[in-house]
Amino acid sequence: MAIEHIFTEITENKAEKKNLISEIIKKIRTTPTEEDILNIAVEALHQALECDRVIVYNLQPESRGKIVAELVNSDFPKTIDSVIVDPCFEHRYINKYQQGRVIAVANIYEAGMTPCYIENLEKIAVKANLVTPILIPDESLYGLLVVHQCSQPRQWTPSEIELATQIASEIGWALENVRRKQQYQKLTQQWQRNYQWQQSLQAVMKKMNSGCNCAEVLQIAVEQVKEILQCDRVIIYGLQKPNQGTIVAESTFAALAPILGQTILDPCFEYRYLDQYRQGRVIAVANIYEAGMTPCYMENLEKIAVKANLVVPINCEDEAIYGLLVAHQCFNFREWQTEEIEWLKQVGIQTGFALSKAKLKEQVESFNSVFTNLQNTKQEIAVAKTQIREIRLKVQDTSDILGEINNLYKMLDREVTLINQANLIQDDKKSQLIKIIFKKIRQNSQKIGENIHLFAGQTYQTEELLQNLKTNLDHNILNHHKTK
């Protein structure tokens, strides 16, 4: 970033020096990025001191240092981005610089430096240097602000040393402010991402809890996960047996062949992974060819075009593992993000809760159905008992009629015998009596016919009612066993 020429030379006039430093500080403090802060600082100091080179030397791990900012006259070599390894620096000098040490060397050949250090300075044409520490307010040492004179030795004045020291201090404060702002922005962005993930989780939970049965819960889960993660396929692998599973739900990209309903037999699954998944094991594979998978497992994934996958368990409230919720990336590899992994893990947990709730709901509905059927059966039993009682009455009535007919036939037989014995064929009284007997017999015969008709109808209805009753009882018994 270019800086206006605020000055042309350092002066002993206190007012001018104060204004000069104020302008430099203002520029540094109002700069929004670390890179720009360092560039403004080296440019300002280079112009103020009219030196040959100004650099910022940033301390990095493993005894390394890197030149991260530089302004150098065209006559001398550039050192920007150079990495310097100096194992002795940390041991000898880092504590001193953390305490504010400032070094002003007028002539490198008269400063008692080691030959190797002089040799390193000669490589970049240094004849004199001024070194001040850049301290972050938490007292950590960011690096060094270094001024080089390359054309000739130079005696550094107190005002020059003071200016370099003040600029180094302002760099430390400015860097701290930038980092705090960056941390705040990062935390804010992280909070916003977490809030968005949490909102999407709440939405998925709400939809899953609205599922009427287990099948709906599973289908809602895979569809929502595919939509949120924007992956190619999402499946739920239901563990029917410890070493055998079936794809019980799937949401997939249209270009991929469906695998819903496929059964997978894996004798090693129970032994290797079942307990781990019960304890919440999560697997995120960015590239199946770099995950150390067994050849057979990799071959199975290749058959369904998987290049990356993310696997979380579905554990129900009774701590029994239902299966696995699996996201597939099929058209390219994918580095799963921490937020995605944690979100899918939570979806797996909530799917387990929703399944437990759906199972309970199904059991309640089944019990209600059984109860309703039992109430209907109770009514049917009452109707059957009534019909049987009516049949018994009809049978008793018919029996009484048959008894009366039998008596009438006996009476008729006796009268006919008397008529034959006495030769009283023309006896009007006897003839009238016989007519009455036949009339009674005919009436009773009609009643028997009516009872037989009613008896047959009621018997059929009763038989059908009892058969339905038996069927309903068997159905209720079966449902009862299913809900256990």
Side-chain angles (χ1 to χ4, degrees):
M1 179 181 293
I3 185 169
E4 298 294 334
H5 287 278
I6 307 165
F7 35 70
T8 58
E9 61 181 352
I10 293 293
T11 172
E12 293 300 326
N13 185 290
K14 291 183 179 180
E16 291 183 10
K17 183 170 69 172
K18 185 177 179 180
N19 290 336
L20 172 63
I21 294 173
S22 297
E23 288 295 330
I24 296 173
I25 290 172
K26 182 179 178 182
K27 287 284 184 180
I28 293 174
R29 288 182 177 180
T30 57
T31 302
T33 67
E34 181 174 322
E35 180 182 2
D36 289 340
I37 288 170
L38 300 178
N39 288 334
I40 285 175
V42 296
E43 183 180 354
L45 194 56
H46 181 269
Q47 292 181 7
L49 299 184
E50 294 185 348
C51 56
D52 297 320
R53 181 191 294 117
V54 179
I55 64 170
V56 174
Y57 176 76
N58 175 229
L59 296 178
Q60 299 183 344
E62 300 179 355
S63 301
R64 293 175 180 269
K66 183 179 181 181
I67 310 301
V68 293
E70 179 185 39
L71 200 151
V72 60
N73 292 340
S74 59
D75 297 336
F76 303 103
K78 292 182 179 180
T79 63
I80 188 70
D81 294 331
S82 297
V83 175
I84 302 169
V85 180
D86 187 356
C88 298
F89 179 85
E90 183 173 357
H91 176 69
R92 292 180 180 176
Y93 306 117
I94 192 166
N95 288 333
K96 295 179 180 180
Y97 280 119
Q98 283 178 336
Q99 295 171 11
R101 180 192 194 211
V102 175
I103 298 294
V105 175
N107 188 332
I108 65 172
Y109 301 106
E110 298 175 358
M113 296 179 178
T114 60
C116 63
Y117 189 34
I118 292 175
E119 182 180 353
N120 286 333
L121 292 176
E122 287 177 336
K123 289 178 181 179
I124 55 175
V126 176
K127 289 185 171 56
N129 65 5
L130 173 58
V131 184
T132 60
I134 299 174
L135 294 169
I136 304 296
D138 62 2
E139 297 186 356
S140 63
L141 182 62
Y142 173 83
L144 304 174
L145 177 61
V146 185
V147 183
H148 287 162
Q149 194 67 33
C150 301
S151 57
Q152 58 188 4
R154 176 169 176 171
Q155 191 69 42
W156 305 100
T157 66
S159 59
E160 293 172 335
I161 297 172
E162 182 184 357
L163 178 61
T165 302
Q166 285 188 289
I167 290 179
S169 176
E170 287 300 325
I171 291 173
W173 281 101
L175 291 177
E176 175 67 8
N177 288 334
V178 167
R179 289 181 179 182
R180 286 182 178 179
K181 288 179 181 178
Q182 291 174 344
Q183 289 175 352
Y184 175 77
Q185 291 173 351
K186 185 177 180 181
L187 289 173
T188 301
Q189 292 170 355
Q190 182 65 46
W191 182 88
Q192 290 174 342
R193 287 196 299 269
N194 290 342
Y195 178 76
Q196 291 171 351
W197 283 112
Q198 187 63 30
Q199 288 295 103
S200 65
L201 178 63
Q202 293 292 335
V204 173
M205 289 169 54
K206 183 177 180 181
K207 290 183 179 180
M208 285 196 298
N209 288 329
S210 68
C212 297
N213 51 53
C214 292
E216 282 191 19
V217 169
L218 298 176
Q219 193 58 37
I220 289 170
V222 294
E223 289 176 357
Q224 290 298 302
V225 170
K226 181 177 178 295
E227 180 180 344
I228 300 298
L229 293 186
Q230 291 294 295
C231 53
D232 299 323
R233 181 196 292 122
V234 178
I235 62 170
I236 290 178
Y237 177 71
L239 292 172
Q240 311 304 316
K241 297 178 181 178
N243 61 350
Q244 178 178 316
T246 301
I247 310 301
V248 294
E250 177 187 31
S251 180
T252 187
F253 190 70
L256 295 171
I259 58 175
L260 182 64
Q262 288 190 14
T263 298
I264 301 170
L265 181 63
D266 186 354
C268 298
F269 182 86
E270 179 181 10
Y271 176 74
R272 291 181 181 176
Y273 306 121
L274 192 57
D275 286 339
Q276 295 180 31
Y277 280 119
R278 281 198 185 105
Q279 295 170 14
R281 179 184 195 242
V282 174
I283 297 296
V285 176
N287 185 338
I288 66 170
Y289 302 106
E290 297 176 355
M293 296 179 177
T294 60
C296 61
Y297 186 37
M298 194 181 302
E299 182 180 351
N300 286 334
L301 292 176
E302 286 177 333
K303 288 178 181 178
I304 54 176
V306 176
K307 287 185 169 60
N309 65 2
L310 178 56
V311 185
V312 301
I314 299 174
N315 291 316
C316 295
E317 289 182 326
D318 57 3
E319 297 185 356
I321 183 167
Y322 176 84
L324 304 175
L325 176 59
V326 186
H328 287 163
Q329 200 68 28
C330 300
F331 296 100
N332 49 18
F333 303 112
R334 176 167 177 171
E335 195 70 39
W336 303 98
Q337 302 302 308
T338 302
E339 295 91 345
E340 296 173 331
I341 296 170
E342 182 59 29
W343 182 82
L344 189 63
K345 180 181 177 181
Q346 292 301 318
V347 172
I349 292 171
Q350 295 302 325
T351 302
F353 290 154
L355 280 175
S356 297
K357 181 179 177 181
K359 285 180 181 179
L360 180 61
K361 185 177 181 181
E362 289 177 350
Q363 288 177 345
V364 170
E365 290 178 350
S366 179
F367 282 133
N368 288 337
S369 176
V370 170
F371 179 77
T372 300
N373 287 337
L374 287 175
Q375 290 296 106
N376 293 336
T377 300
K378 183 179 178 181
Q379 293 177 358
E380 291 173 352
I381 290 173
V383 172
K385 287 173 68 177
T386 300
Q387 291 185 354
I388 291 172
R389 188 164 51 250
E390 290 177 354
I391 290 171
R392 284 178 179 173
L393 292 175
K394 294 297 181 184
V395 169
Q396 183 62 46
D397 184 51
T398 302
S399 177
D400 293 343
I401 293 172
L402 289 175
E404 185 178 348
I405 290 175
N406 183 56
N407 291 333
L408 289 171
Y409 271 112
K410 287 180 180 179
M411 184 184 297
L412 179 63
D413 182 62
R414 186 175 63 252
E415 292 300 324
V416 170
T417 300
L418 289 175
I419 290 173
N420 290 334
Q421 289 177 354
N423 196 18
L424 298 174
I425 298 175
Q426 300 299 323
D427 191 325
D428 291 336
K429 291 183 178 180
K430 294 292 183 181
S431 177
Q432 189 66 28
L433 180 58
I434 290 171
K435 287 181 180 180
I436 292 171
I437 291 172
F438 270 113
K439 183 177 179 181
K440 291 287 290 180
I441 291 172
R442 187 166 55 252
Q443 289 174 347
N444 286 329
S445 177
Q446 289 177 352
K447 287 183 178 180
I448 289 173
E450 291 172 359
N451 284 351
I452 290 173
H453 178 74
L454 293 174
F455 179 76
Q458 285 187 327
T459 301
Y460 175 77
Q461 291 175 2
T462 303
E463 180 182 2
E464 185 179 22
L465 179 64
L466 292 174
Q467 185 60 47
N468 291 337
L469 183 60
K470 180 179 182 302
T471 300
N472 289 338
L473 288 172
D474 291 342
H475 179 69
N476 290 340
I477 292 170
L478 180 62
N479 284 343
H480 174 67
H481 285 300
K482 286 183 178 179
T483 56
K484 285 185 177 180

